[in-house]
């Protein structure tokens, strides 16, 4: 009952109107708050709290949008709304916590916002249709992100410290954890958005919004730890305002017929080794660090262990994915064979050169044709010498200009007993389907006589 009441209240148009009005005046409020903070009239944290109201308002709009979208799209928009709300709430509450806890509060808000935003991206229509593909996207992103972070840590951050071991201490640990999460989350975001097979523009817009939100929060945590100037903190917080706006624009395009562009639907098995380059970069960074420094700090060793565990987990899941995919193929093949074996239709598969590569068991029952007599021979060679030239020419025309509809080809077919039978075959172009990769022909008896002919079946 409580959930229904809240849902009805959020559906009221007054929420949307109020949120849009507040968002329209928000830039003016932000501008005055930031100027007042830079002039020393207003504390910087109060100005950041004013900036945090923007993501909260965008979260209200996203919730309103989620209530009117279809089921699949509403879950993604709702999760993105919660991610935007977590980012904005951390900034709003920042003004009320002690100064020593500001970075920790922002780190907690960043972690919660990251988890919710990634779940929202995965739940958007067209990004990842099954749990296995969603898990693979996350494991690929984690592996890429942590490998790149590890390489950057050894090649850039550690040399900047000068002692060869890199930064240490509680503040450094918090910064390392935040940017480790940020690197993995950003890699996941790029993979999820780039590999969307439907509503791709919407996924790219939402991915850009998530990236802005995550980058803004991660940079802001480090700047607060370093007690950076307020101007730098305001610039970093801008990402938490622009990002939710992109989230709303992208989520509003999901689940509609206005944006159906994309790539082919992904299979349940990985198509390319995404981790090859990042892992190779991590190995090169390790060799370089051992050659120049010779030892690892606790942070470097910890990140190295995480790299190994992440890559091992991803490869273990890849093995499981391959086994599941093979089981699905075996099940589909068994189902197909059971259907074809019990059918009275004589079915043949022709390749690009119109050579018979497969025939159904019904060919032996109806025409007495064995595989040895048919497989590997041109389809036209099975017909009467008077019909074969014309039929071969007509089939070659099909290769040049394949029709959209089924095509009927008729002629006298020699059966396994030496008798010429008048047949009519329907041919369908399936060359773009990997499972067939050729022409699908169904042969049947015909009561008509005469030379072979071809016409569209409609």
């Amino acid at each position: 009952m409580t959930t229904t009441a809240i849902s009805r209240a959020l559906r009221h148009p007054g929420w949307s109107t109020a949120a849009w009005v507040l968002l329209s005046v928000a830039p003016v409020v932000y501008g005055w708050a930031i100027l007042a903070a830079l002039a020393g009239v207003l504390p910087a944290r109060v100005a950041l709290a004013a900036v945090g109201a923007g993501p909260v308002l965008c979260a209200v709009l996203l919730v309103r949008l989620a209530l009117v979208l279809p089921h699949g799209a509403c879950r993604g928009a709702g999760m993105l709304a919660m991610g935007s709300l977590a980012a904005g709430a951390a900034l709003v509450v920042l003004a009320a916590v002690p100064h020593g806890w500001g970075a920790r509060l922002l780190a907690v808000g960043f972690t919660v916002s990251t988890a919710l935003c990634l779940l929202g991206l995965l739940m958007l229509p067209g990004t990842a249709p099954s749990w296995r593909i969603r898990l693979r996207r996350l494991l690929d992103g984690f592996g890429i992100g942590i490998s790149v972070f590890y390489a950057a840590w050894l090649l850039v951050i550690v040399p900047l410290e000068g002692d060869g071991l890199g930064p240490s201490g509680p503040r450094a640990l918090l910064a390392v954890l935040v940017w480790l999460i940020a690197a993995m989350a950003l890699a996941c975001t790029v993979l999820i958005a780039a590999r969307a097979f439907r509503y791709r523009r919407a996924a790219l817009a939402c991915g850009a919004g998530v990236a802005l939100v995550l980058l803004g929060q991660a940079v802001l945590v480090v700047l607060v730890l370093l007690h950076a100037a307020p101007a730098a903190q305001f610039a970093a917080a801008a990402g938490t305002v622009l990002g939710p706006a992109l989230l709303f624009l992208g989520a509003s395009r999901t689940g509609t017929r206005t944006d159906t562009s994309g790539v082919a639907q992904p299979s349940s098995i990985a198509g390319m080794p995404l981790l090859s380059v990042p892992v190779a970069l991590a190995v090169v960074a390790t060799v370089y660090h051992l050659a120049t420094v010779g030892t690892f700090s606790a942070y470097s060793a910890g990140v190295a262990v995480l790299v190994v565990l992440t890559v091992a987990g991803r490869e273990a899941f890849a093995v499981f994915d391959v086994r599941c995919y093979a089981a699905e193929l075996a099940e589909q093949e068994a189902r197909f064979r059971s259907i074809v074996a019990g059918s009275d239709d004589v079915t043949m598969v022709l390749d690009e050169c119109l050579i018979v590569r497969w025939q159904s068991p019904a060919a032996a029952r109806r025409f007495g044709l064995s595989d040895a007599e048919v497989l590997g021979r041109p389809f036209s060679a099975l017909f009467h010498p008077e019909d074969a030239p014309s039929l071969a020419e007509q089939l070659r025309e099909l290769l040049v200009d394949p029709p959209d509809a089924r095509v009927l080809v008729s002629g006298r077919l020699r059966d396994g007993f030496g008798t010429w039978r008048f047949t009519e075959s329907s041919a369908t172009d399936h060359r773009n389907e990997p499972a067939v990769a050729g022409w699908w022909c169904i042969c049947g008896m015909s009561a008509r006589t005469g030379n072979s002919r071809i016409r569209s079946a409609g």
Side-chain angles (χ1 to χ4, degrees):
M1 295 295 293
T2 304
T3 304
T4 304
I6 295 175
S7 176
R8 290 178 179 175
L10 288 174
R11 287 179 185 270
H12 193 277
W15 280 97
S16 181
T17 303
W20 280 115
V21 170
L22 292 175
L23 281 177
S24 63
V25 301
V28 178
V29 177
Y30 296 161
W32 281 107
I34 291 174
L35 290 176
L38 293 177
V41 179
L42 192 69
R45 292 196 171 194
V46 176
L48 287 175
V51 173
V56 175
L57 295 175
C58 285
V60 173
L61 292 176
L62 279 168
V63 171
R64 278 272 305 161
L65 178 65
L67 294 176
V68 299
L69 285 174
H71 176 67
C74 76
R75 294 184 302 166
M79 282 294 179
L80 292 175
M82 295 300 101
S84 176
L85 180 62
L91 290 176
V92 172
V93 180
L94 181 63
V97 300
H99 285 276
W101 288 83
R104 300 176 187 178
L105 171 67
L106 292 176
V108 172
F110 164 75
T111 304
V112 175
S113 177
T114 299
L116 293 172
C117 286
L118 288 181
L119 286 176
L121 280 179
L122 290 172
M123 290 182 178
L124 289 176
T127 54
S130 67
W131 70 268
R132 277 162 47 195
I133 295 179
R134 291 170 184 168
L135 185 56
R136 182 174 8 114
R137 293 281 187 270
L138 291 177
L139 290 176
D140 286 342
F142 290 167
I144 294 173
I146 196 172
S147 298
V148 173
F149 175 83
Y150 174 71
W153 174 266
L154 293 181
L155 298 178
V156 179
I157 304 300
V158 171
L160 288 178
E161 287 298 308
D163 59 357
L165 297 179
S168 60
R171 295 169 59 189
L173 176 60
L174 182 60
V176 169
L177 292 177
V178 167
W179 273 99
L180 181 61
I181 296 174
M184 295 188 295
L186 288 173
C188 291
T189 300
V190 172
L191 285 179
I192 295 170
R195 294 300 301 160
F197 65 94
R198 284 193 303 123
Y199 309 112
R200 199 175 188 189
R201 295 176 183 175
L204 291 174
C206 290
V210 170
L212 281 176
V213 172
L214 299 185
L215 278 175
Q217 293 181 90
V219 172
L220 185 59
V221 170
V222 175
L223 293 178
V224 171
L225 284 172
L226 297 176
H227 304 289
Q233 297 183 22
F234 297 148
T240 62
V241 178
L242 298 176
L246 286 176
L247 291 179
F248 178 79
L249 293 177
S252 62
R253 298 177 65 93
T254 60
T256 63
R257 297 181 181 273
T258 58
D259 183 11
T260 57
S261 60
V263 297
Q265 182 169 349
S267 63
S268 59
I269 186 171
M272 55 182 178
L274 294 173
L275 288 180
S276 300
V277 175
V279 170
L281 181 62
V283 172
V284 171
T286 302
V287 174
Y288 174 80
H289 184 79
L290 289 175
T292 56
V293 179
T295 184
F296 282 86
S297 66
Y299 292 164
S300 300
V303 177
V305 171
L306 287 178
V307 172
V308 175
L309 293 178
T310 304
V311 174
R314 192 266 183 189
E315 294 305 316
F317 177 77
V319 173
F320 169 77
D321 198 17
V322 169
R323 290 180 178 177
C324 291
Y325 187 65
E328 290 178 359
L329 289 180
E331 182 181 357
Q332 293 175 3
E333 182 180 0
R335 187 183 300 113
F336 172 78
R337 288 184 179 275
S338 64
I339 294 174
V340 172
S343 175
D344 289 333
D345 293 331
V346 179
T347 306
M348 297 183 182
V349 175
L350 315 181
D351 63 9
E352 289 280 353
C353 299
L354 301 178
I355 304 297
V356 181
R357 296 304 180 188
W358 178 85
Q359 69 172 358
S360 64
R365 294 197 303 266
R366 297 197 62 185
F367 295 142
L369 294 174
S370 64
D371 291 345
E373 296 175 302
V374 176
L375 300 187
R377 299 181 61 190
F379 184 66
S380 58
L382 304 177
F383 289 84
H384 195 279
E386 295 180 0
D387 300 337
S390 176
L391 187 141
E393 181 180 354
Q394 293 162 347
L395 290 177
R396 282 193 294 268
E397 293 177 0
L398 294 180
L399 296 177
V400 176
D401 187 17
D404 296 331
R406 291 184 301 113
V407 169
L408 297 183
V409 180
S410 58
R412 288 167 288 179
L413 178 69
R414 183 185 179 92
D415 63 15
F417 308 102
T419 304
W420 296 104
R421 299 194 186 186
F422 287 96
T423 60
E424 192 172 67
S425 306
S426 63
T428 309
D429 188 6
H430 291 280
R431 289 177 293 175
N432 293 328
E433 299 181 12
V436 180
W439 289 86
W440 185 268
C441 295
I442 300 178
C443 304
M445 298 296 295
S446 174
R448 291 175 294 178
T449 60
N451 292 331
S452 62
R453 54 196 178 278
I454 181 170
R455 63 180 178 86
S456 175

